């Protein structure tokens, strides 16, 4: 019964966006769980994006498009770390099993992406066309990420969590920049596809792009990830145990 909600209050002429009574512990807790759920979703999405970006980078020759992918891989890894840090600050340790499961899923996803990458290259009519399709997929991914951070910002503000809202705004800025830059690459990638397929003037040569070497390196890294996975789950479980002991002591 939400008889005490402070919906759309106005303070000093500014409409606050808080939709709950922040003095009510139950409402605060429900709000915290909502934010955690969305942050976990975003964290999983960024983990998947790292996998996809690495697979795409491995088949992309040096140039402006490749530089965009390299830059965004670094950003995406940082975003995943920032999201994980915020989740920890919000006390999301209870989902330790989900963390372990998520890590396993990431490694499985990487293995799938790796096995798919070279197959795509062989099956595709031209490497140029593959890059063009990759770029379109990346545009769609960035748009979805932007929507995810729109949702996180609005949810966080609605429950009075300014810190999470500000994190969402910062990350969304990077996604928006990447979306714009990717769209700017599409005409060139489309023209190269037309030259390769319609005019018989191919420029993409897998043996000179470093793709084979990139894929080999990526495979090695994934094998290392598989080995690290067991350790990671154990460390997370230990951290969660310590944190829950601290919480119990404080209470
Ligand atoms: Fe992104």
């Amino acid at each position: 019964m939400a008889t005490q909600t402070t919906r759309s209050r106005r303070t000093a002429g500014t409409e606050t966006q808080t939709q709950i009574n922040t003095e009510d512990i139950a409402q605060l807790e429900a709000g915290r769980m909502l934010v955690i759920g969305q942050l976990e979703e975003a964290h999983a999405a960024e983990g998947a994006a790292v996998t996809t970006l690495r697979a795409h980078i491995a088949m992309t020759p040096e140039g402006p498009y490749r530089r965009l992918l390299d830059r965004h891989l670094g950003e995406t890894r940082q975003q995943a770390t920032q999201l994980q840090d915020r989740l920890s600050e919000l006390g999301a340790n209870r989902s330790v099993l989900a963390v372990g499961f998520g890590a396993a899923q990431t490694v499985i996803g990487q293995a799938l992406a790796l096995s798919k990458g070279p197959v795509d290259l062989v099956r595709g009519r031209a490497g140029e066309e593959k890059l063009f399709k990759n770029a379109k997929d990346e545009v769609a991914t960035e748009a979805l990420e932007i929507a995810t951070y729109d949702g996180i910002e609005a949810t966080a503000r609605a429950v009075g969590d300014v810190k999470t809202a500000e994190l969402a705004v910062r990350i969304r800025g990077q996604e928006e920049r990447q979306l714009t830059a990717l769209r700017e690459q599409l005409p060139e990638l489309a023209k190269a596809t037309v030259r390769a397929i319609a005019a018989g003037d191919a420029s993409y040569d897998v043996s000179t792009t470093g793709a084979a070497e990139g894929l080999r390196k990526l495979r090695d890294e994934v094998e290392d990830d598989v080995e690290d996975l067991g350790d990671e789950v154990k460390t997370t479980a230990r951290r969660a145990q310590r944190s829950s002991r601290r919480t119990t002591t404080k209470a």
Side-chain angles (χ1 to χ4, degrees):
M1 235 70 78
T3 51
Q4 293 293 314
T5 52
T6 51
R7 195 176 294 268
S8 301
R9 292 171 303 171
R10 282 181 182 275
T11 309
T14 309
E15 188 177 344
T16 69
Q17 296 181 46
T18 308
Q19 302 294 304
I20 60 170
N21 178 358
T22 51
E23 284 158 23
D24 181 326
I25 300 290
Q27 289 190 31
L28 266 183
E29 176 61 10
R32 185 181 74 96
M33 293 312 292
L34 275 172
V35 169
I36 285 175
Q38 292 196 29
L39 284 174
E40 282 177 338
E41 214 174 280
H43 185 256
E46 297 301 350
V50 166
T51 304
T52 307
L53 279 168
R54 289 172 73 192
H56 287 184
I57 284 168
M59 65 182 84
T60 304
E62 293 296 335
Y65 172 48
R66 167 70 178 268
R67 281 195 290 281
L68 271 188
L69 297 184
D70 285 334
R71 181 188 68 186
H72 201 55
L73 176 62
E75 284 176 343
T76 305
R77 284 184 164 134
Q78 281 176 0
Q79 291 164 1
T81 304
Q82 289 165 353
L83 292 166
Q84 185 59 62
D85 289 349
R86 186 65 191 133
L87 278 165
S88 299
E89 285 171 2
L90 288 169
N93 297 320
R94 268 172 289 174
S95 52
V96 58
L97 287 175
V99 171
F101 183 61
Q105 278 185 318
T106 301
V107 172
I108 292 164
Q110 284 176 346
L112 283 175
L114 281 178
S115 59
K116 193 169 168 288
V119 172
D120 282 350
L121 273 179
V122 173
R123 282 191 186 154
R125 282 194 295 177
E128 289 87 347
E129 190 179 34
K130 181 64 194 150
L131 298 188
F132 176 50
K133 287 181 174 176
N134 284 352
K136 287 198 296 177
D137 286 347
E138 287 150 14
V139 166
T141 301
E142 295 309 325
L144 182 59
E145 289 170 0
I146 289 165
T148 299
Y149 294 109
D150 280 343
I152 292 177
E153 185 201 356
T155 304
R157 291 201 193 286
V159 304
D161 181 351
V162 175
K163 198 169 174 185
T164 298
E166 286 174 350
L167 174 64
V169 169
R170 279 196 305 277
I171 295 179
R172 188 178 58 211
Q174 294 177 326
E175 313 296 18
E176 285 168 339
R177 182 176 69 157
Q178 182 70 359
L179 176 66
T180 303
L182 283 169
R183 289 190 67 204
E184 286 168 2
Q185 291 298 314
L186 284 174
E188 267 317 307
L189 294 168
K191 281 190 268 180
T193 304
V194 170
R195 282 197 301 273
I197 292 175
D201 179 19
S203 54
Y204 183 91
D205 178 354
V206 69
S207 65
T208 61
T209 58
E213 194 194 333
L215 283 168
R216 244 193 322 273
K217 191 165 162 260
L218 190 48
R219 249 186 233 118
D220 291 346
E221 285 175 21
V222 169
E223 277 171 17
D224 290 344
D225 284 350
V226 171
E227 280 173 27
D228 292 345
L229 183 58
D231 295 340
E232 192 182 329
V233 172
K234 279 184 222 154
T235 309
T236 310
R238 270 198 299 272
R239 217 177 285 147
Q241 262 179 347
R242 272 202 302 275
S243 170
S244 94
R245 266 203 300 272
R246 270 202 303 275
T247 311
T248 315
T249 314
K250 271 185 214 159

